[in-house]
Amino acid sequence: MNKIVFISGATKGIGYEVAQQLASHDFTVLIGARNIQQGEVAVEKLRLHGADAHFIPIDVNDELSVKSAAEVITKQFGKVDVLINNAGVNYEFQLGTRPSMLSVDMLKDTFGANFFGAFAIIHHFLPLLKQAGAARIINVSSTLGSLTSLSDPENFFYGVNSLAYNSSKTALNALTVSLAKDLADDNITVNSICPGWVKTDMGTDAAPRTVEQGAAIIVKMATMGNSPTGKFVDENGEIPW
Ligand SMILES: NC(=O)c1ccc[n+]([C@@H]2O[C@H](COP(=O)([O-])OP(=O)(O)OC[C@H]3O[C@@H](n4cnc5c(N)ncnc54)[C@H](OP(=O)(O)O)[C@@H]3O)[C@@H](O)[C@H]2O)c1
């Protein structure tokens, strides 16, 4: 039986590219998306390239939707070997909001997808992950979630002061540290990765990296022989928390 990967927010950008690459590593790919039409189109495109791809409706902001996605996967596939928490939002880059001017709603909405959404999926998918025997959770974070990097004036990203996005990724990293310890006895590894600054709707055309380059570290963590746990990495190695 193929390994099964579930990727949230996988109709475009980094998530879609990861789906394409993991399909070529013989994974069955479950495309999690909140937009039904976009989910079906993505699956159709992947199948045209020979992938074993399936659409799983999920809005990570809606716990009932996350729960029903877990139920659908339980009935149809019975396990998840690799869970990639990729769905994410960033409202500040486009609006250029100053941290002190941020609305409480924008802060909550950002944490909704980037932090609570990731937790909800892990929580409701746990039986599926345990069923895989040796599962992996990959949280798609960002160097912008690294407090060490953001407080270093020499760091390239020092000036990117987007409070909601950055702190939601810091919180996601805290989830990684906590759950890596909690789930070690279940043989489930939990890691955070940074894809770098990538040309996507979120990353914008100003980004220097392609989706292929951004997806590579996720594919590596999904396919490497022995996965570490409780780490924060990019293609160059460990990133400070
Ligand atoms: N691009 C970069 O430079 C960069 C750098 C570091 C980290 N990252 C991280 O990489 C991940 C992927 O980002 P990307 O650059 O590929 O951006 P993207 O092209 O904008 O993709 C984001 C995906 O998340 C989905 N999503 C958002 N909210 C959702 C929800 N409530 N339920 C389900 N899906 C939802 C979006 O679906 P809709 O189309 O329905 O909105 C979309 O498919 C994110 O976690 C991001 O923070 C990106």
Side-chain angles (χ1 to χ4, degrees):
M1 189 185 188
N2 278 1
K3 288 204 167 170
I4 295 175
V5 59
F6 174 86
I7 310 163
S8 63
T11 58
K12 63 178 185 177
I14 296 167
Y16 180 79
E17 176 62 26
V18 168
Q20 210 164 15
Q21 291 191 25
L22 285 179
S24 72
H25 283 269
D26 288 334
F27 273 82
T28 291
V29 290
L30 308 185
I31 301 297
R34 57 180 164 179
N35 182 303
I36 294 177
Q37 205 197 343
Q38 287 169 11
E40 284 170 351
V41 168
V43 162
E44 223 168 280
K45 258 171 45 191
L46 288 163
R47 285 183 178 167
L48 277 178
H49 290 95
D52 182 22
H54 306 265
F55 169 49
I56 308 291
I58 188 167
D59 180 340
V60 306
N61 286 333
D62 173 359
E63 192 179 0
L64 276 182
S65 158
V66 174
K67 225 173 138 188
S68 85
E71 284 162 7
V72 169
I73 298 171
T74 304
K75 279 198 197 109
Q76 294 183 17
F77 303 95
K79 65 164 185 168
V80 169
D81 296 274
V82 179
L83 161 60
I84 301 175
N85 278 316
N86 169 75
V89 294
N90 185 332
Y91 303 115
E92 293 152 294
F93 284 168
Q94 279 172 15
L95 298 173
T97 316
R98 284 179 57 189
S100 52
M101 295 294 123
L102 193 65
S103 70
V104 173
D105 278 347
M106 196 186 284
L107 191 59
K108 283 184 180 169
D109 287 350
T110 306
F111 268 72
N114 296 2
F115 175 69
F116 293 110
F119 178 77
I121 299 181
I122 295 171
H123 179 73
H124 289 291
F125 280 41
L126 208 48
L128 286 161
L129 293 163
K130 287 183 180 172
Q131 203 58 39
R136 299 176 184 191
I137 298 170
I138 301 169
N139 291 324
V140 182
S141 183
S142 169
T143 303
L144 295 176
S146 161
L147 294 175
T148 308
S149 302
L150 288 192
S151 51
D152 172 7
E154 300 300 316
N155 191 281
F156 181 76
F157 295 108
Y158 179 79
V160 187
N161 198 4
S162 35
L163 175 63
Y165 183 78
N166 299 1
S167 59
S168 71
K169 294 297 188 184
T170 308
L172 181 64
N173 286 347
L175 194 66
T176 294
V177 170
S178 172
L179 292 184
K181 291 183 237 175
D182 183 32
L183 301 179
D185 288 346
D186 297 302
N187 211 10
I188 298 171
T189 61
V190 190
N191 293 290
S192 281
I193 68 92
C194 175
W197 184 17
V198 177
K199 270 187 217 317
T200 61
D201 286 351
M202 184 190 290
T204 77
D205 279 343
R209 289 164 65 78
T210 63
V211 283
E212 289 83 357
Q213 290 171 319
I217 182 64
I218 302 175
V219 172
K220 180 178 172 190
M221 295 302 284
T223 56
M224 71 200 308
N226 274 324
S227 171
T229 194
K231 302 289 184 196
F232 183 20
V233 295
D234 67 10
E235 65 181 9
N236 298 314
E238 282 197 47
I239 305 171
W241 296 108

